[in-house]
């Protein structure tokens, strides 16, 4: 591991500052835990349902779906962590509070690792690194993912320590360090598949530094750890229900097939993601300021971030490679980039802080006194970002999306608990929460497609999806939240050949509509 430049003793020690940063982040994350149920974001509920299946000895499967298909959409490490928690505290939903402590701990461990990465590897000022990591770890999007039972905090924690391990292998060499780095890289990909981009980034860094033997050991180690999961996914993919592919199946084939069928979709997705990222950056760094200043802040960030990548490349080539490959995936993936940013945002903050090194080097080369206006603008960005973080904490932004979704979905859960019989099968836009809190099997009402990220589904498409799900699973009840787009497709769905008779039962107290699906005789 690289040795950081000497710093003043006492509280400015990198180790002490890293620990303090972790404790601050832990305290803020715990304080932001909300009483909202698990499952409001779908993925959080599925993680826990799969964990419950593991803890009960039922295998790595979606036991809440008919036929209990294999859970090949979600890598196993985070559900295994939750399954271990369920062994300690098995009584659900009484254990929700205990389960919600997992992510704040992961975020704090990640914050400690990020400070160590910044000071020991990137050789950044310890105090500045601690402040930047703390700010970036407590913005609303990061805390929202932490408050929900999502895998991003564990991903972040593993990422920073994996980068430290990889750079240790690059700097000092040795088989043991390469093997440790390979294991961590593999575990990262087994938390979130996108973490797999660290493997080629690490290999590039080792090869670039003439660590050919270490590169080979890292490749072999990560491959051995990843192979069983990938082989199992490929095996189970062959018989996976087509009706569940987007939300529950193997998403790489799902995405490649969509782009192959409609090549223009790739450009549309990239355009939308670039636009979304640009507006997000303006909001992050210039909150409450006019639009023109938000655009200016986004432009300064992009320029400074590029400078930061140059500085990072000199001291942590694997980190630069990871960031660039990660960004490519974010741009081409048909999903909001905000969630991807939330998983790595403190790392982005380190890159931005590292830009001051490049700016200082340029200023020195051209004999400009001080670090100049560009570095001052970077400081202004951090001030703006700190303001955004403080406003989010003060206004409770981290929990606002959960509160909204709870108010929208919980009425269906309560209605199901009172009215659904043992022989019924529910089709619902709250199917995950219904299964989690009632134990009833439930199926979705739509199929996730890449195209819907850029174009809203038409009524005929929604009706066809309802028909396909009905033909496969034969649900007896259909529950939809208020203003659900599928409400407009009910009539067309009912006119399909072999469609059921759709009978409106009535409004669900608190919001939503219930329908009975009766087979025609």
């Amino acid at each position: 591991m690289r040795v950081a430049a000497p710093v003043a003793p006492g509280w400015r020690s990198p180790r002490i500052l890293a620990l303090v940063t972790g404790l601050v982040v832990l305290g803020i994350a715990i304080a932001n835990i909300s009483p909202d149920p698990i499952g409001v974001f779908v993925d959080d509920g599925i993680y826990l349902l799969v964990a419950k299946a593991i803890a009960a000895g039922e295998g790595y499967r979606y036991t809440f779906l008919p036929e209990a298909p294999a859970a090949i959409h979600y890598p196993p490490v985070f559900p295994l962590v939750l399954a271990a928690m369920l062994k300690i505290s098995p009584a659900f939903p009484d254990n929700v509070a205990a389960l919600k402590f997992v992510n704040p701990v992961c975020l704090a461990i990640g914050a400690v690792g990020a400070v160590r990465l910044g000071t020991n590897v990137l050789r950044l000022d310890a105090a500045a690194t601690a402040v930047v990591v703390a700010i970036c770890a407590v913005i609303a999007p990061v805390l929202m993912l932490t408050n929900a039972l999502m895998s991003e905090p564990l991903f972040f924690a593993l990422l920073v320590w994996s980068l430290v391990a990889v750079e240790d292998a690059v700097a000092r060499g040795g088989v043991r360090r390469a093997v440790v780095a390979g294991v961590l890289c593999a575990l990262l990909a087994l938390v979130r598949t996108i973490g797999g981009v660290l493997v080629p980034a690490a290999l590039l860094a080792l090869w670039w530094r003439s660590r050919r033997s270490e590169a080979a050991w890292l490749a072999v180690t990560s491959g051995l750890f990843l192979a069983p999961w990938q082989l199992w996914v490929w095996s189970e993919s062959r018989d996976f229900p087509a009706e569940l592919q987007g939300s529950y199946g193997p998403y790489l084939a799902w995405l490649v097939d969509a782009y192959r069928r409609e090549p223009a979709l790739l450009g549309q997705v990239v355009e939308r993601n670039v636009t979304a990222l640009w507006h997000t950056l303006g909001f992050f760094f210039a909150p409450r300021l006019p639009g023109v200043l938000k655009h200016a802040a986004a432009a300064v960030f992009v320029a400074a971030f590029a400078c930061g990548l140059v500085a990072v490349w000199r001291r942590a080539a694997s980190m630069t490679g990871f960031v660039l490959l990660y960004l490519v995936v974010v741009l081409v993936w048909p999903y909001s980039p905000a969630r991807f940013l939330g998983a790595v945002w403190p790392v982005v903050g380190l890159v931005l802080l590292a830009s001051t090194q490049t700016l200082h080097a340029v200023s020195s080369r051209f004999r400009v006194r001080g670090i100049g206006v560009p570095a001052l603008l970077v400081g202004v960005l951090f001030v703006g970002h700190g303001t955004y973080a403080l406003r989010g904490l003060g206004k409770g932004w981290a929990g606002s999306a959960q509160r909204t979704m709870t108010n929208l979905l919980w009425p269906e859960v309560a209605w199901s608990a009172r009215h659904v019989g043992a022989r019924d099968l529910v089709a619902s836009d709250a199917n995950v929460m219904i299964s989690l809190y009632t134990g009833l099997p439930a199926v979705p009402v739509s199929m996730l497609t890449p195209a819907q990220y850029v174009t809203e589904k038409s009524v005929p498409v929604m009706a066809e999806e309802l028909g396909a799900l009905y033909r496969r699973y034969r649900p007896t009840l259909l529950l939809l939240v208020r203003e659900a787009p599928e409400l407009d497709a009910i009539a067309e769905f009912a006119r399909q050949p072999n469609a059921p008779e759709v009978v409106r039962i009535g409004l669900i107290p608190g919001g939503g509509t219930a329908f009975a699906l009766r087979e025609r005789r």
Side-chain angles (χ1 to χ4, degrees), residues 33-288:
I33 292 177
S34 76
D36 297 290
I38 295 170
V40 294
F41 295 143
V42 180
D43 282 0
D44 55 333
I46 294 176
Y47 280 129
L48 186 54
L49 284 165
V50 174
K52 290 177 74 173
I54 296 171
E58 297 171 333
Y60 199 74
R61 313 194 76 81
Y62 302 121
T63 53
F64 61 98
L65 293 173
E67 305 166 12
I72 55 179
H73 188 87
Y74 298 87
V77 169
F78 189 56
L80 286 170
V81 171
L82 296 180
M85 287 293 297
L86 289 173
K87 287 292 187 180
I88 299 171
S89 178
F92 183 85
D94 297 338
N95 60 359
V96 167
L99 290 170
K100 285 196 172 188
F101 268 87
V102 171
N103 277 349
V105 172
C106 289
L107 185 65
I109 292 172
V112 172
V115 174
R116 295 293 298 276
L117 176 65
T119 55
N120 289 29
V121 178
L122 301 180
R123 303 179 193 175
L124 300 172
D125 177 78
T129 299
V131 171
V132 166
V133 169
I135 290 173
C136 292
V138 300
I139 64 169
V142 174
L143 290 179
M144 181 184 70
L145 295 170
T146 305
N147 191 8
L149 213 59
M150 305 294 260
S151 62
E152 279 79 1
L154 178 59
F155 179 85
F156 165 59
L158 266 174
L159 171 62
V160 292
W161 288 106
S162 297
L163 288 169
V164 170
V166 169
E167 289 305 319
D168 189 27
V170 171
R172 301 170 64 183
V175 172
R176 182 183 62 82
R177 294 185 180 89
V179 168
V180 169
V183 170
L184 289 174
C185 288
L187 287 174
L188 185 68
L190 292 174
V191 174
R192 293 182 60 77
T193 305
I194 191 174
V197 301
L198 181 55
V199 175
L203 293 175
L204 173 64
L206 288 165
W207 199 269
W208 186 262
R209 302 295 184 186
S210 298
R211 300 286 189 185
R212 309 296 162 81
S213 174
E214 287 82 355
W217 277 104
L218 186 144
V220 170
T221 303
S222 58
L224 288 174
F225 270 76
L226 290 172
W229 166 253
Q230 292 299 332
L231 290 172
W232 184 72
V233 168
W234 292 333
S235 173
E236 294 289 342
S237 298
R238 290 175 293 186
D239 299 321
F240 198 84
E243 296 82 3
L244 301 176
Q245 284 286 343
S247 298
Y248 298 92
Y251 36 77
L252 183 58
W254 166 81
L255 183 64
V256 171
D257 288 345
Y259 287 156
R260 185 184 294 120
R261 290 193 306 269
E262 191 178 350
L265 179 61
L266 174 59
Q268 295 169 349
V269 168
V270 171
E271 180 182 2
R272 175 160 185 168
N273 281 336
V274 168
T275 301
L277 285 171
W278 185 265
H279 287 297
T280 298
L281 293 173
F283 192 68
F284 275 6
F285 293 102
R288 305 189 71 180

Side-chain angles (χ1 to χ4, degrees), residues 162-429:
S162 297
L163 288 169
V164 170
V166 169
E167 289 305 319
D168 189 27
V170 171
R172 301 170 64 183
V175 172
R176 182 183 62 82
R177 294 185 180 89
V179 168
V180 169
V183 170
L184 289 174
C185 288
L187 287 174
L188 185 68
L190 292 174
V191 174
R192 293 182 60 77
T193 305
I194 191 174
V197 301
L198 181 55
V199 175
L203 293 175
L204 173 64
L206 288 165
W207 199 269
W208 186 262
R209 302 295 184 186
S210 298
R211 300 286 189 185
R212 309 296 162 81
S213 174
E214 287 82 355
W217 277 104
L218 186 144
V220 170
T221 303
S222 58
L224 288 174
F225 270 76
L226 290 172
W229 166 253
Q230 292 299 332
L231 290 172
W232 184 72
V233 168
W234 292 333
S235 173
E236 294 289 342
S237 298
R238 290 175 293 186
D239 299 321
F240 198 84
E243 296 82 3
L244 301 176
Q245 284 286 343
S247 298
Y248 298 92
Y251 36 77
L252 183 58
W254 166 81
L255 183 64
V256 171
D257 288 345
Y259 287 156
R260 185 184 294 120
R261 290 193 306 269
E262 191 178 350
L265 179 61
L266 174 59
Q268 295 169 349
V269 168
V270 171
E271 180 182 2
R272 175 160 185 168
N273 281 336
V274 168
T275 301
L277 285 171
W278 185 265
H279 287 297
T280 298
L281 293 173
F283 192 68
F284 275 6
F285 293 102
R288 305 189 71 180
L289 293 180
V292 64
L293 293 181
K294 284 182 167 61
H295 288 300
V300 171
F301 171 87
V302 170
F305 191 73
C307 291
L309 287 176
V310 173
V312 170
W313 171 259
R314 295 175 182 147
R315 290 171 178 164
S318 66
M319 183 171 166
T320 301
F322 170 83
V323 169
L324 292 175
L325 291 172
Y326 190 90
L327 179 60
V328 169
V329 175
V330 170
L331 291 177
V332 303
W333 204 260
Y335 196 84
S336 170
R339 180 174 175 183
F340 290 97
L341 287 182
V344 300
W345 192 245
V347 174
V348 173
L350 291 179
V351 175
L352 188 60
L353 181 60
S355 68
T356 58
Q357 296 178 333
T358 300
L359 295 171
H360 180 75
V362 171
S363 298
S364 299
R365 181 176 180 182
F366 292 99
R367 298 180 181 179
V368 178
R369 292 184 178 180
I371 60 175
V373 173
L376 178 62
L377 290 177
V378 173
V380 172
L381 287 181
F382 280 120
V383 171
H385 201 44
T387 302
Y388 168 77
L390 289 173
R391 288 195 70 217
L393 292 173
K395 294 181 176 292
W397 288 347
S400 59
Q402 284 181 285
R403 288 191 294 272
T404 299
M405 294 305 297
T406 297
N407 293 335
L408 189 66
L409 299 176
W410 189 256
E412 290 190 17
V413 179
W415 190 93
S416 298
R418 291 193 302 269
H419 299 288
V420 177
R423 295 185 178 182
D424 286 318
L425 176 61
V426 177
S428 169
D429 39 20

